[in-house]
Amino acid sequence: MMDDTLTAAARAARLRAYAPYSEFQVGAAIETADGTIFTGCNVENLSFGLTICAERVAISTAVAAGHRSFRKLVVCADSNVPVTPCGACRQVMAEFCDELEVCSINLAGIEHLTNLSVLLPRAKAGILG
Ligand code: THU
């Protein structure tokens, strides 16, 4: 079972989603190495490609506040099966994390726990190496 504070933060962040096009609200909360929590929600745009996922908003908010080291991320959506982060979010996670616990929960409390190396194996292999 994932940390209650982080889970509650992700659930609360979901309520701030700006999702008029998909009507699919997502919240995320990330815990830094020093235990600080930052949140994000999906922010959609009329130009659909400019939509930013909750996970990337949470990570960017944390980075803007001076944090670059992370332990866990929780993502929350109202889906039957807990959502899985998109490829772009996985790559952004990999920019800052060699390893990251990723927990996805739905409103019914079903959770799926995984980690970044499963979601995006060999994220940096061969690049600038
Ligand atoms: N979305 C997220 O914010 N995170 C995910 O892990 C899955 C998808 C958002 C993007 C878009 O605003 C909406 O959910 C539908 O895909």
Side-chain angles (χ1 to χ4, degrees):
M1 181 68 187
M2 186 52 69
D3 185 315
D4 284 349
T5 312
L6 203 59
T7 296
R11 290 177 78 106
R14 179 182 159 273
L15 300 177
R16 296 190 287 272
Y18 176 73
Y21 305 106
S22 71
E23 296 185 348
F24 187 71
Q25 300 176 302
V26 185
I30 193 159
E31 184 185 301
T32 68
D34 71 6
T36 312
I37 292 174
F38 290 90
T39 59
C41 58
N42 52 333
V43 181
E44 297 188 344
N45 192 271
L46 178 61
S47 173
F48 287 8
L50 294 180
T51 290
I52 180 163
C53 298
E55 295 92 320
R56 269 177 288 152
V57 172
I59 292 168
S60 299
T61 302
V63 171
H67 297 265
R68 293 182 181 179
S69 182
F70 305 106
R71 286 184 194 149
K72 301 178 208 169
L73 180 140
V74 175
V75 56
C76 175
D78 185 10
S79 52
N80 292 331
V81 173
V83 294
T84 182
C86 77
C89 288
R90 296 176 197 200
Q91 191 72 51
V92 170
M93 289 172 198
E95 184 69 24
F96 296 101
C97 312
D98 288 332
E99 197 43 281
L100 180 71
E101 267 185 81
V102 178
C103 179
S104 181
I105 58 168
N106 66 11
L107 297 189
I110 298 172
E111 67 176 35
H112 178 254
L113 195 57
T114 185
N115 59 65
L116 183 57
S117 60
V118 169
L119 293 173
L120 190 66
R122 294 173 53 80
K124 294 177 181 168
I127 300 176
L128 301 180

PDB file of all heavy atoms in Angstrom, residues 22 24 26 42 44 51 53-55 75 83-85, ligand 1:
ATOM      1  N   SER A  22     -11.046  16.143 -22.922  1.00  0.00           N
ATOM      2  CA  SER A  22     -11.184  14.704 -22.656  1.00  0.00           C
ATOM      3  C   SER A  22     -12.159  14.429 -21.513  1.00  0.00           C
ATOM      4  O   SER A  22     -12.687  13.325 -21.387  1.00  0.00           O
ATOM      5  CB  SER A  22      -9.830  14.095 -22.293  1.00  0.00           C
ATOM      6  OG  SER A  22      -9.422  14.520 -21.002  1.00  0.00           O
ATOM      7  N   PHE A  24     -11.280  13.878 -18.710  1.00  0.00           N
ATOM      8  CA  PHE A  24     -10.606  12.825 -17.948  1.00  0.00           C
ATOM      9  C   PHE A  24      -9.595  13.519 -17.034  1.00  0.00           C
ATOM     10  O   PHE A  24      -8.548  13.992 -17.475  1.00  0.00           O
ATOM     11  CB  PHE A  24      -9.906  11.860 -18.915  1.00  0.00           C
ATOM     12  CG  PHE A  24      -9.329  10.644 -18.264  1.00  0.00           C
ATOM     13  CD1 PHE A  24     -10.150   9.638 -17.774  1.00  0.00           C
ATOM     14  CD2 PHE A  24      -7.949  10.489 -18.155  1.00  0.00           C
ATOM     15  CE1 PHE A  24      -9.611   8.502 -17.178  1.00  0.00           C
ATOM     16  CE2 PHE A  24      -7.398   9.356 -17.562  1.00  0.00           C
ATOM     17  CZ  PHE A  24      -8.236   8.364 -17.072  1.00  0.00           C
ATOM     18  N   VAL A  26      -6.871  13.938 -14.161  1.00  0.00           N
ATOM     19  CA  VAL A  26      -5.756  13.168 -13.600  1.00  0.00           C
ATOM     20  C   VAL A  26      -4.996  14.039 -12.600  1.00  0.00           C
ATOM     21  O   VAL A  26      -4.793  15.236 -12.828  1.00  0.00           O
ATOM     22  CB  VAL A  26      -4.789  12.702 -14.722  1.00  0.00           C
ATOM     23  CG1 VAL A  26      -3.703  11.787 -14.150  1.00  0.00           C
ATOM     24  CG2 VAL A  26      -5.547  11.994 -15.842  1.00  0.00           C
ATOM     25  N   ASN A  42      -3.497  17.305 -15.003  1.00  0.00           N
ATOM     26  CA  ASN A  42      -3.384  17.481 -16.448  1.00  0.00           C
ATOM     27  C   ASN A  42      -3.953  18.842 -16.840  1.00  0.00           C
ATOM     28  O   ASN A  42      -4.937  19.318 -16.271  1.00  0.00           O
ATOM     29  CB  ASN A  42      -4.032  16.332 -17.238  1.00  0.00           C
ATOM     30  CG  ASN A  42      -5.451  16.000 -16.860  1.00  0.00           C
ATOM     31  OD1 ASN A  42      -5.880  16.221 -15.732  1.00  0.00           O
ATOM     32  ND2 ASN A  42      -6.203  15.461 -17.805  1.00  0.00           N
ATOM     33  N   GLU A  44      -5.045  20.654 -20.250  1.00  0.00           N
ATOM     34  CA  GLU A  44      -5.284  20.428 -21.676  1.00  0.00           C
ATOM     35  C   GLU A  44      -5.301  21.739 -22.450  1.00  0.00           C
ATOM     36  O   GLU A  44      -5.300  22.827 -21.864  1.00  0.00           O
ATOM     37  CB  GLU A  44      -6.615  19.663 -21.849  1.00  0.00           C
ATOM     38  CG  GLU A  44      -6.541  18.293 -21.196  1.00  0.00           C
ATOM     39  CD  GLU A  44      -7.733  17.407 -21.482  1.00  0.00           C
ATOM     40  OE1 GLU A  44      -8.780  17.919 -21.946  1.00  0.00           O
ATOM     41  OE2 GLU A  44      -7.607  16.186 -21.238  1.00  0.00           O
ATOM     42  N   THR A  51      -1.342  19.604 -24.726  1.00  0.00           N
ATOM     43  CA  THR A  51      -1.775  19.073 -23.423  1.00  0.00           C
ATOM     44  C   THR A  51      -0.583  18.540 -22.655  1.00  0.00           C
ATOM     45  O   THR A  51       0.302  17.895 -23.213  1.00  0.00           O
ATOM     46  CB  THR A  51      -2.813  17.954 -23.659  1.00  0.00           C
ATOM     47  OG1 THR A  51      -4.007  18.555 -24.146  1.00  0.00           O
ATOM     48  CG2 THR A  51      -3.108  17.182 -22.380  1.00  0.00           C
ATOM     49  N   CYS A  53       0.483  16.267 -19.240  1.00  0.00           N
ATOM     50  CA  CYS A  53      -0.041  15.286 -18.272  1.00  0.00           C
ATOM     51  C   CYS A  53       0.276  15.712 -16.836  1.00  0.00           C
ATOM     52  O   CYS A  53       1.238  16.452 -16.579  1.00  0.00           O
ATOM     53  CB  CYS A  53       0.589  13.917 -18.498  1.00  0.00           C
ATOM     54  SG  CYS A  53       0.246  13.183 -20.088  1.00  0.00           S
ATOM     55  N   ALA A  54      -0.517  15.179 -15.928  1.00  0.00           N
ATOM     56  CA  ALA A  54      -0.373  15.475 -14.497  1.00  0.00           C
ATOM     57  C   ALA A  54       1.038  15.156 -13.991  1.00  0.00           C
ATOM     58  O   ALA A  54       1.616  15.903 -13.193  1.00  0.00           O
ATOM     59  CB  ALA A  54      -1.399  14.659 -13.726  1.00  0.00           C
ATOM     60  N   GLU A  55       1.602  14.051 -14.456  1.00  0.00           N
ATOM     61  CA  GLU A  55       2.919  13.620 -13.977  1.00  0.00           C
ATOM     62  C   GLU A  55       3.988  14.653 -14.328  1.00  0.00           C
ATOM     63  O   GLU A  55       4.848  14.987 -13.518  1.00  0.00           O
ATOM     64  CB  GLU A  55       3.307  12.272 -14.611  1.00  0.00           C
ATOM     65  CG  GLU A  55       2.419  11.102 -14.227  1.00  0.00           C
ATOM     66  CD  GLU A  55       1.266  10.871 -15.188  1.00  0.00           C
ATOM     67  OE1 GLU A  55       0.647  11.852 -15.659  1.00  0.00           O
ATOM     68  OE2 GLU A  55       0.977   9.693 -15.470  1.00  0.00           O
ATOM     69  N   VAL A  75      -0.055   8.548  -9.272  1.00  0.00           N
ATOM     70  CA  VAL A  75      -0.951   9.154 -10.257  1.00  0.00           C
ATOM     71  C   VAL A  75      -2.353   8.620 -10.000  1.00  0.00           C
ATOM     72  O   VAL A  75      -2.524   7.437  -9.678  1.00  0.00           O
ATOM     73  CB  VAL A  75      -0.459   8.897 -11.709  1.00  0.00           C
ATOM     74  CG1 VAL A  75      -0.286   7.440 -12.017  1.00  0.00           C
ATOM     75  CG2 VAL A  75      -1.379   9.554 -12.722  1.00  0.00           C
ATOM     76  N   VAL A  83      -4.460   4.046 -14.476  1.00  0.00           N
ATOM     77  CA  VAL A  83      -3.769   4.487 -15.693  1.00  0.00           C
ATOM     78  C   VAL A  83      -2.275   4.202 -15.599  1.00  0.00           C
ATOM     79  O   VAL A  83      -1.720   4.057 -14.514  1.00  0.00           O
ATOM     80  CB  VAL A  83      -3.941   5.996 -15.969  1.00  0.00           C
ATOM     81  CG1 VAL A  83      -5.368   6.342 -16.283  1.00  0.00           C
ATOM     82  CG2 VAL A  83      -3.393   6.847 -14.841  1.00  0.00           C
ATOM     83  N   THR A  84      -1.653   4.171 -16.758  1.00  0.00           N
ATOM     84  CA  THR A  84      -0.215   4.020 -16.788  1.00  0.00           C
ATOM     85  C   THR A  84       0.374   5.261 -17.466  1.00  0.00           C
ATOM     86  O   THR A  84      -0.203   5.766 -18.432  1.00  0.00           O
ATOM     87  CB  THR A  84       0.166   2.699 -17.508  1.00  0.00           C
ATOM     88  OG1 THR A  84       1.561   2.550 -17.481  1.00  0.00           O
ATOM     89  CG2 THR A  84      -0.318   2.639 -18.916  1.00  0.00           C
ATOM     90  N   PRO A  85       1.460   5.825 -16.936  1.00  0.00           N
ATOM     91  CA  PRO A  85       2.014   7.048 -17.515  1.00  0.00           C
ATOM     92  C   PRO A  85       2.355   6.881 -18.990  1.00  0.00           C
ATOM     93  O   PRO A  85       2.806   5.821 -19.432  1.00  0.00           O
ATOM     94  CB  PRO A  85       3.283   7.277 -16.686  1.00  0.00           C
ATOM     95  CG  PRO A  85       3.038   6.577 -15.397  1.00  0.00           C
ATOM     96  CD  PRO A  85       2.203   5.377 -15.737  1.00  0.00           C
TER      97      PRO A  85
HETATM   98  N1  THU B   1      -3.268  11.912 -18.736  1.00  0.00           N
HETATM   99  C1  THU B   1      -2.449  12.232 -17.693  1.00  0.00           C
HETATM  100  O1  THU B   1      -2.423  13.388 -17.244  1.00  0.00           O
HETATM  101  N2  THU B   1      -1.682  11.248 -17.155  1.00  0.00           N
HETATM  102  C2  THU B   1      -1.738   9.941 -17.521  1.00  0.00           C
HETATM  103  O2  THU B   1      -0.997   9.110 -16.972  1.00  0.00           O
HETATM  104  C3  THU B   1      -2.674   9.513 -18.552  1.00  0.00           C
HETATM  105  C4  THU B   1      -3.300  10.601 -19.339  1.00  0.00           C
HETATM  106  C5  THU B   1      -4.147  12.963 -19.285  1.00  0.00           C
HETATM  107  C6  THU B   1      -3.748  13.542 -20.612  1.00  0.00           C
HETATM  108  C7  THU B   1      -5.084  14.038 -21.145  1.00  0.00           C
HETATM  109  O3  THU B   1      -5.348  15.317 -20.604  1.00  0.00           O
HETATM  110  C8  THU B   1      -6.092  13.060 -20.566  1.00  0.00           C
HETATM  111  O4  THU B   1      -5.445  12.439 -19.464  1.00  0.00           O
HETATM  112  C9  THU B   1      -6.586  12.014 -21.542  1.00  0.00           C
HETATM  113  O5  THU B   1      -5.543  11.290 -22.076  1.00  0.00           O
END
